[in-house]
């Protein structure tokens, strides 16, 4: 990599995208954006114990089960990815 | 508007708990995180849990871990929180606080997906700690010690892996080899790209071992292997000399032993026989017990069953340990926990997810005959592994010895004075399912009555005395009657004696121990001095004068004669009581007191004398200036009782921080005020006065002992206790009846009790649960309570309860009978048990029989998620009896209720209840039907009768009376109903609400509607045009959980993310709407940006850090200002008080600012950032932070006080004053 590349806006963006999961880009599609938001939300629910308890009461499940369910949902938070359009 | 926020009851739920030796020494302690609080608990010898220390950290604690450096005697605590920092701390016994050793920043603050803080794991040998996030990031810190044996921490080593979700991490016990951490990981990168779903279906969880190479200072992925896709939790297996090492992987339905280079050993988790087949069994908490010779694990499932897991292992060549069998045996069933701790002393601390926590003692360790699943007998069939079934039974291995009350979750709350007491009661609906309850909270300490005995007359005073100063316990209780004195000796029993030397034919004025071993009785005609050898010295009053008041300590006595003469006695070297000085006071003496003799001194220097001319004088008792007046204080009313009390906010030890002791002069005035002022130890000058109204009677003050320190009992129209708790002086009411006279009491059975007289009874009691603000009365309920309303006339409570996925009472009863019968057949093989079962079977209808399977302990059996049970209960709050209980049928569940008076007045007050049938949340919110029931009160309000039931096209989540009609929020529609003969009649509706209406408040012609996602909408109803329209709404999307109407333009609300906020319609807009003849209708028709034409303004915003579920405006003290009281999911109660003067606002905001700077929160979260977690904090001062001021070191206190141009004492007084305005 040349020295000038480091200051290139694209390489900076790439660096950000690598470091911070969820940093967007110009070609981000609706699905990718939604997946990201959902994963962030689930992580937040898991991190905030009172919120987790709130959900657990609503669904009448144990808090431990609720946490596990949210973790599981992080795999496919918005269902299957849409089919890729041909370039 | 500026508000002062104060937590009245800290969170009672527990997020996580760890046990270890945090104080140092032999005892075991438990550190628990309650959301934003960190507490240190310890079970005492009697098996009661004591709180040693509690601190608010202003951040969300998500996990805790503890470790010990090799050779050390003390454990350190590691905290993972939302601060983006790892914090390591230790407990300081001397200062009674957690001391932060390291705080290392690694990321952004907040509970984020890739910022570590969700999981913690430590190397069992204390050499490294790993902190991980839900996704990607894992950091390892190396722990070491420097030459001075202090803990050191390295810079972080990364063990990141992108696109990977982490389920659990743990440290693997591998002796002194390189530390290894294990993690359950799931890679989602391919599933995100693949549109066919194949990759997602094939996504596989892996167990990965990360090795920290201490030599290279580097972390590497050492080993990764696929594991069961239901895996959710890892438990370390002891290694080295103690066991086989490796980990237990807890997965849905299975427990698997795994280690590198070892075959998997898998066993199924036994299932409850009544569990629906589609439901799995998940382990939610685990605890390990390790002894020298053995170890076992206790794993608890989501249904509350605990299993004991043991590993059969043998040592092979080259010191490799091979696990041959994994056994899972049913142990016992207790309510589901968020954490369990096995203590070395044979206790199990169970921190319940919801509801009360408990301490159990082990009776056995599960060696009995119970259902067991083993890896050796695991059967694999075509449909998978063969399940093993069991039936829960009564506790066999554990016995509950203590519980800690937990209000978690508070579902609804009302502050009312239904019992017409001095202060209102807080009615809270708490708990879930079978552990639900209505709890009535009263401010004050709970007491437990040890004995009540009738006396032959009405006594007017009581004392306790020891025979010798070195005695541990009191020897006599002396009771004085108007015409005599009764002496009771304290031994195994309390009985009357006549050989004590006390004069029993006269009333007494004071009885106390004098010198080392002699007793003194003061009666109206003299002083009787009883020496240890039985000799009696009498001093008689001169002439016809009588003694009216006495003040004494161990070496000094002052008596006041009628007419105002004071006579001062001192004990000389030979133990004789000698008259020293006389002094004539200007008038009769109302009361007097002498301070206790300071340690190492001959006498106390101060005598306090209260006179009827509204003054209190401090007189000197020094030989040089004996009976000189040192200072005079005038008070608002004649003093009734005086007490000089040394308030030693502490000299270290386990309670309080370093503070010099100061002597307080306490005076109970005849107008019911307690007056406190500091006495200068040298000059006797009085300064820094504080007063507080205690009750309608003049407070009488008595010394007491609380936790070995001096405390004060104040008896007014209710008793109060002034004592020191964690460095604060607290004055708290006791929940007990009015008392006349009291004395501290100490005996074999009760070390720190109180003996008191009231009416003609002698009462002995102890004060419990010091430091708590409320005491509770619990009334159990059947299902999760949702809401309650008050029947206005008869003061009955109508409570709505509903549970999803549960069977109805009849179905449960049938299932239980079946299972009892099945158990009977199963155990008939055993002759002894057979007999018992027959008895049990025959007496099945017998109410007295002890319930073999109480729902409270075992939970309701699970049903499908579209099944609902629900009931409407009418409860007489005075007696706690349910007078009517209506079970709803057909999966209907009640969610909202209100009382309503329709304008035609035919029925009087009716009850409207909103219900939904077959409600489901997943995969999409759906329901079969919604209804509004109308009930009529019959039997004087004790019972309900259905008038009619109207089907509606949504779930009615909010109901409210409005102008003689019923307003209902049905899904996103606001509708106005009138009462018809057969059903409710639609009159008017508005469909413009965004999502779902969850609250309706009305005031005059305004309607304040709360939407579940989009905050408040202000509406108006025009009767002439019969139209409902929205004229103002909020610009912020708030997920409302609670709302309260504050005034005409203002609403208070709370959102799901833990914020409390107030919105107000700007004054000019409000005026415009009121003046506009169309009521802003023309403007409404125009609208603005798809919303209402006007917007409300946010005037107050505060992040509580806990989901607030209920809000109410109320005053908790008689004559106090109103504040907003809130209750939260974690079971805490708080108050927001509006400041009344600009000066106070300035003072407290400056104090808060200095506290933020000088005393940053313990877990590293910036205070301001925390209170502004979602929206910037606005106009709220955090009283919890300000109240940490007394815990600062004295020089820091002085520094802050100087900046504020005040003294530390003035700041403490300010803090006390504002607290006294709230509670």
């Amino acid at each position: 990599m040349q020295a000038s590349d480091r200051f290139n806006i694209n390489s900076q963006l790439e660096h950000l995208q690598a470091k911070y999961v969820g940093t967007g880009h110009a070609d981000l599609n609706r699905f990718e954006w939604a997946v990201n938001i959902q994963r962030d939300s689930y992580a937040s629910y898991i991190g905030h114990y009172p919120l987790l308890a709130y959900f657990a009461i609503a669904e009448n499940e144990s808090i431990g089960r609720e946490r596990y369910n949210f973790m599981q949902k992080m795999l496919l938070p918005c269902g299957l990815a849409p089919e890729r359009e041909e370039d | 508007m500026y508000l002062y926020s104060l937590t009245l009851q800290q969170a009672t739920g527990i997020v996580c708990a760890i046990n270890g030796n945090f104080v140092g020494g032999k005892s075991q302690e438990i550190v628990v995180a309650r959301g934003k609080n960190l507490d240190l608990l310890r079970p005492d010898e009697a098996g009661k849990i004591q709180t040693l220390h509690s601190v608010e950290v202003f951040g969300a604690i998500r996990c805790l871990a503890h470790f010990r450096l090799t050779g050390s005697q003390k454990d350190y605590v590691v905290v993972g929180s939302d601060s983006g920092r790892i914090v390591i701390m230790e407990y300081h016994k001397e200062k009674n606080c957690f001391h932060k050793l390291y705080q290392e920043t690694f990321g952004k603050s907040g509970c984020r997906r890739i910022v570590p803080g969700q999981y913690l794991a430590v190397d069992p040998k204390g050499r490294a700690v790993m902190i991980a996030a839900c996704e990607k990031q894992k950091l390892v810190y190396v722990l070491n010690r420097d030459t001075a044996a202090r803990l050191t921490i390295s810079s972080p080593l990364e063990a990141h892996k992108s696109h990977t979700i982490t389920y659990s991490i743990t440290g693997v016990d591998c002796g002194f080899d390189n530390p290894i951490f294990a993690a359950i990981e799931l890679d989602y990168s391919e599933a995100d790209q693949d549109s066919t779903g194949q990759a997602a279906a094939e996504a596989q969880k892996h167990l990965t071992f990360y090795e920290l190479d201490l030599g290279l200072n580097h972390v590497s992925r050492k080993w990764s292997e696929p594991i069961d896709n239901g895996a959710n939790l890892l438990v370390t297996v002891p290694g080295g000399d103690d066991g086989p090492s490796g980990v237990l992987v807890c997965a849905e339905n299975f427990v698997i032993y795994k280690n590198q280079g070892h075959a998997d050993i898998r066993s199924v988790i036994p299932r409850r026989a009544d569990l629906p087949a589609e439901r799995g069994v998940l382990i939610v908490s685990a605890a390990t017990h390790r002894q020298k010779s053995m170890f076992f694990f206790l794993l608890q499932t989501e249904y509350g069953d605990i299993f004991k897991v043991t590993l059969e292992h043998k040592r092979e060549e080259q010191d490799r340990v091979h696990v041959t069998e994994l056994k899972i045996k049913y142990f016992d069933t207790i309510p589901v926990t968020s954490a369990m701790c096995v203590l070395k002393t044979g206790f199990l601390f169970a921190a319940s997810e919801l509801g009360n926590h408990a301490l159990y003692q082990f009776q056995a360790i599960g060696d009995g005959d119970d259902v067991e699943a083993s890896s050796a007998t695991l059967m694999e069939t075509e449909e998978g592994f063969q399940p093993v079934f069991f039936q829960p039974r009564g506790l066999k291995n554990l016995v509950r010895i203590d519980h800690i009350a937990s209000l978690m979750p508070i579902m609804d709350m009302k502050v009312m004075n239904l019992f017409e007491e001095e202060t209102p009661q807080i009615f809270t609906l708490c708990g879930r399912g079978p552990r639900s309850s209505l709890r009535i909270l009263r401010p004050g300490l709970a007491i437990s009555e040890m004995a009540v005995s009738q006396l032959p007359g009405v006594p007017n005073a009581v004392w306790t005395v020891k025979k010798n100063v070195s005695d541990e316990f009191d020897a006599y209780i002396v009771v004085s009657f108007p015409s005599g004195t009764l002496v009771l000796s304290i031994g195994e029993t309390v009985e009357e004696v006549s050989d004590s030397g006390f004069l029993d034919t006269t009333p007494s004025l004071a009885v106390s121990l004098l010198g080392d071993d002699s007793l003194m009785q003061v009666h109206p005609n003299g002083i009787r001095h009883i020496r240890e050898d039985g000799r009696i010295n009498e001093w008689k009053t001169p002439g016809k004068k009588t003694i009216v008041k006495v003040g004494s300590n161990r070496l000094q006595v002052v008596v006041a004669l009628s007419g105002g003469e004071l006579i001062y006695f001192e004990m000389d070297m030979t133990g004789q009581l000698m008259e020293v000085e006389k002094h004539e006071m200007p008038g009769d003496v109302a009361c007097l007191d002498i301070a206790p003799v300071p340690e190492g001194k001959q006498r106390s220097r101060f005598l306090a004398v209260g006179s009827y001319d509204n003054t209190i004088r401090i007189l000197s008792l020094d030989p040089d200036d004996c009976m000189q007046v040192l200072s005079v204080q005038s008070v608002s009313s004649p003093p009734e009782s005086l007490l000089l009390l040394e308030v030693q906010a502490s000299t270290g030890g386990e309670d309080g921080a370093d503070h010099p002791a100061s002597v307080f002069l306490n005076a109970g005035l005849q107008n019911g005020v307690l007056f406190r002022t500091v006495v200068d130890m040298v000059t006797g000058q009085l300064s820094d006065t504080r007063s507080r109204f205690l009750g309608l009677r003049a407070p009488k003050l008595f010394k007491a002992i609380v936790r070995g320190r001096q405390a004060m009992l104040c008896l007014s129209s209710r008793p109060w206790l002034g004592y020191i708790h964690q460095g604060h002086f607290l004055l708290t009411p006791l929940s007990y009846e009015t008392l006349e006279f009291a004395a501290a009491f100490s005996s074999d059975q009760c070390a720190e009790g109180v003996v008191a007289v009231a009416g003609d009874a002698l009462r002995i009691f102890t004060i419990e649960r010091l430091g708590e603000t409320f005491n509770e009365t619990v009334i159990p309920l059947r299902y999760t309570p949702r809401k309650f309303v008050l029947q206005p006339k008869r003061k009955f409570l109508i409570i709505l309860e509903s549970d999803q996925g549960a069977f109805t009472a009849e179905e449960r009863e049938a299932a239980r009978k079946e299972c009892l019968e099945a158990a009977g057949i199963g155990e008939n093989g055993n002759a002894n048990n057979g007999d018992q079962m027959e008895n049990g079977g025959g007496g099945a209808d017998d109410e007295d029989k002890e319930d073999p399977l109480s729902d409270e302990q075992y939970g309701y059996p699970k049903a499908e998620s579209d099944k609902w049970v629900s009931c409407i209960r009418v409860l007489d709050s005075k007696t706690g009896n349910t007078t009517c209980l209506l079970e709803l049928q057909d999966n209907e569940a009640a969610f909202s209720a209100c009382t309503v008076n329709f304008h035609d007045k035919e029925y009087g007050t009716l009850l409207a209840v909103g219900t939904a049938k077959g409600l489901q949340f997943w995969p999409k919110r759906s329901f079969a039907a919604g209804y509004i029931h109308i009930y009529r009160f019959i039997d004087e309000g004790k019972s309900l009768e259905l008038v009619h039931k109207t089907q509606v096209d949504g779930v009615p989540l909010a109901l409210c009376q409005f102008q003689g009609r019923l307003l209902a929020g049905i899904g996103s529609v606001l509708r106005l109903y009138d009462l018809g003969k057969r059903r409710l009649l639609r009159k008017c509706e508005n469909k413009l609400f965004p999502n779902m209406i969850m609250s309706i408040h009305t005031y005059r012609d305004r309607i304040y509607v709360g939407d579940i996602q989009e905050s408040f909408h202000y509406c108006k109803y025009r009767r002439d045009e019969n139209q409902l329209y929205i004229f103002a709404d909020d610009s912020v999307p708030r997920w409302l959980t609670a709302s309260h109407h504050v005034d005409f333009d203002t609403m208070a609300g709370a959102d799901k993310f833990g914020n409390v906020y107030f919105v107000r319609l700007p004054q000019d807009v409000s005026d415009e709407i009121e003046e506009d003849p169309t009521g802003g209708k023309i403007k409404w028709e125009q609208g603005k940006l798809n919303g209402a034409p006007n917007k409300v303004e946010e005037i107050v915003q505060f992040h509580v850090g806990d989901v607030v579920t209920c809000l109410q405006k109320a005053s908790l003290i008689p004559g106090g200002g109103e504040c907003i009281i809130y209750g939260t999911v974690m079971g805490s109660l708080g108050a927001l008080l509006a400041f009344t003067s600009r000066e106070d606002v300035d003072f407290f905001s400056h104090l808060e600012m200095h506290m933020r700077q000088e005393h940053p929160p313990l877990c590293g979260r910036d205070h301001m950032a925390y209170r502004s977690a979602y929206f910037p904090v606005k106009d709220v001062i955090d009283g919890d932070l300000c109240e940490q001021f007394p815990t600062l070191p004295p020089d820091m206190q002085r520094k802050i006080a100087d900046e504020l141009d005040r003294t530390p004492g003035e700041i403490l007084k300010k803090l006390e004053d504002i607290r006294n305005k709230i509670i």
Side-chain angles (χ1 to χ4, degrees), chain A residues 17-22 31-32 35-51 53-77 79-84, chain B residues 14-15 62 111 113-114 118-119 135-136 165-167 186 188 191-197 200 203 205 229-232 252 279-280 282 284 302 336 338 353 408-409 411 432 803-804 862 921-922 1041 1056-1057 1105-1107 1129-1130 1174:
Chain A
Q17 274 150 0
K19 191 167 175 195
Y20 299 109
V21 176
F31 175 78
E32 285 164 352
V35 161
N36 221 341
I37 294 290
Q38 289 297 324
R39 286 212 179 104
D40 282 345
S41 301
Y42 286 128
S44 171
Y45 300 159
I46 293 161
H48 292 101
Y49 194 80
L51 204 51
Y54 188 69
F55 284 115
I57 296 158
E59 294 186 17
N60 201 14
E61 291 287 353
S62 87
I63 296 174
R65 164 64 79 170
E66 204 66 21
R67 180 188 291 124
Y68 174 74
N69 284 351
F70 285 147
M71 291 297 301
Q72 290 293 82
K73 279 181 193 149
M74 282 174 87
L75 175 62
L76 274 185
L80 294 177
E83 282 190 34
R84 273 228 205 132
Chain B
I14 291 178
V15 175
R62 295 149 81 189
C111 295
R113 197 163 125 205
I114 58 157
Q118 184 66 38
Y119 307 111
E135 188 179 317
K136 184 180 167 184
I165 300 164
T166 309
Y167 282 76
L186 174 66
Y188 66 70
D192 270 7
Q193 308 298 327
D194 177 34
S195 60
T196 59
K205 284 182 190 167
N229 258 342
N232 72 314
E252 216 170 351
R279 285 199 69 104
L282 197 72
V284 294
E302 56 183 313
V336 187
S338 55
E353 276 187 345
M408 179 173 180
M411 302 292 287
R432 180 172 73 176
D803 260 339
Q804 190 183 16
K862 291 277 176 193
F921 300 110
W922 296 106
T1041 53
K1056 201 166 83 169
F1057 307 104
D1106 197 348
V1107 182
V1129 162
M1130 292 292 286
Y1174 288 82

Side-chain angles (χ1 to χ4, degrees), chain B residues 948-1053:
Chain B
H948 53 59
K949 182 169 158 181
T950 309
Q951 183 163 357
V952 291
D953 49 359
V955 183
L957 273 189
L959 297 171
C960 187
Q961 179 184 337
F962 180 68
Q963 297 184 350
R965 288 169 169 183
L966 178 70
L967 257 180
I970 296 158
S972 64
V973 182
L974 181 69
R975 201 173 284 155
L976 194 59
Y977 281 105
D978 213 337
L979 185 73
K981 288 275 175 229
R982 298 265 173 80
R983 49 173 291 138
L984 290 169
L985 309 169
R986 289 182 193 199
K987 289 293 167 194
C988 178
E989 69 176 12
N990 184 330
K991 291 184 173 172
L992 293 172
F993 293 91
N995 299 291
M996 186 174 249
I997 294 170
M998 60 75 65
S999 79
I1000 303 174
H1001 299 265
T1002 59
Y1003 188 75
R1004 302 216 308 243
D1005 63 340
R1006 278 195 190 171
I1007 302 162
Y1008 310 85
V1009 175
D1011 185 82
I1012 206 160
Q1013 276 182 42
E1014 303 222 6
S1015 192
F1016 294 113
H1017 294 71
Y1018 286 26
C1019 312
K1020 241 175 167 15
Y1021 174 65
R1022 283 188 69 92
R1023 187 175 278 272
D1024 45 351
E1025 290 174 42
N1026 191 28
Q1027 223 170 19
L1028 280 166
Y1029 60 93
I1030 307 167
F1031 66 87
D1033 62 9
D1034 198 351
S1035 52
V1036 186
R1038 298 274 196 168
W1039 294 68
L1040 270 192
T1041 53
S1043 61
H1044 188 76
H1045 176 246
V1046 179
D1047 65 35
F1048 193 48
D1049 291 327
T1050 316
M1051 288 295 288

Side-chain angles (χ1 to χ4, degrees), chain B residues 646-652 655-662 709 724-729 1190 1212:
Chain B
E646 191 170 284
V647 175
Q648 197 158 16
S650 84
T651 47
D655 209 340
D658 257 333
H659 290 288
S662 49
R709 286 151 180 277
I724 294 151
H725 181 72
Q726 297 187 348
H728 290 263
F729 182 82
L1212 293 179

Side-chain angles (χ1 to χ4, degrees), chain B residues 499-515:
Chain B
D499 59 347
S500 58
F502 290 116
L503 196 61
D504 58 2
T505 53
T506 168
S508 303
L509 291 172
V511 172
S512 68
L513 178 77
L514 215 55

Side-chain angles (χ1 to χ4, degrees), chain B residues 435-630:
Chain B
R435 303 183 82 207
S436 311
S437 57
L438 168 74
R439 299 188 189 215
I440 305 168
L441 307 179
R442 293 179 173 88
L445 292 170
I447 63 119
S448 84
E449 208 165 59
M450 314 269 297
V452 179
S453 53
Q454 297 296 313
L455 293 171
V458 178
N460 46 22
V462 64
W463 300 271
T464 53
V465 276
K466 289 176 184 173
K467 274 189 176 158
N468 192 304
V469 73
S470 57
D471 282 356
E472 196 181 345
F473 301 125
D474 290 319
Y476 297 118
I477 297 176
V478 183
V479 188
S480 166
F481 295 92
S483 59
T485 297
L486 178 73
V487 183
L488 304 165
S489 94
I490 307 165
E492 299 239 314
T493 57
V494 174
E495 52 198 23
E496 189 176 346
V497 287
S498 52
D499 59 347
S500 58
F502 290 116
L503 196 61
D504 58 2
T505 53
T506 168
S508 303
L509 291 172
V511 172
S512 68
L513 178 77
L514 215 55
D516 284 340
D517 51 8
S518 62
L519 300 173
M520 175 188 74
Q521 178 190 20
V522 183
H523 50 85
N525 296 318
I527 302 174
R528 189 177 172 93
H529 185 195
I530 305 153
R531 304 289 291 265
E532 189 262 337
D533 50 11
R535 279 182 295 156
I536 291 172
N537 297 340
E538 283 267 4
W539 177 88
K540 291 251 182 320
T541 52
K544 289 217 163 114
K545 288 192 173 176
T546 54
I547 299 176
V548 286
K549 299 286 167 190
V550 192
S552 71
N553 60 27
R554 231 161 48 75
L555 297 171
Q556 297 159 290
V557 183
V558 174
V559 295
L561 303 185
S562 49
E565 189 180 0
L566 290 178
I567 305 178
Y568 170 45
F569 299 88
E570 231 176 66
M571 195 165 207
D572 69 5
M573 302 300 276
T574 62
Q576 289 276 358
L577 202 59
M578 305 297 288
E579 190 177 320
V580 177
E581 185 70 59
K582 280 188 185 172
H583 183 73
E584 199 69 44
M585 293 293 285
D588 261 338
V589 171
C591 46
L592 49 87
D593 191 50
I594 308 181
V597 181
E599 204 131 319
K601 294 263 176 70
Q602 276 291 313
R603 60 178 68 82
S604 158
R605 193 165 127 75
F606 302 118
L607 165 71
V609 181
S611 317
Y612 288 106
D613 57 356
N614 295 3
T615 53
I616 300 169
R617 292 178 175 81
I618 299 288
L619 273 60
S620 166
L621 294 177
D622 260 9
D624 309 337
D625 54 354
C626 201
M627 291 293 165
Q628 295 272 326
V629 176
L630 297 175

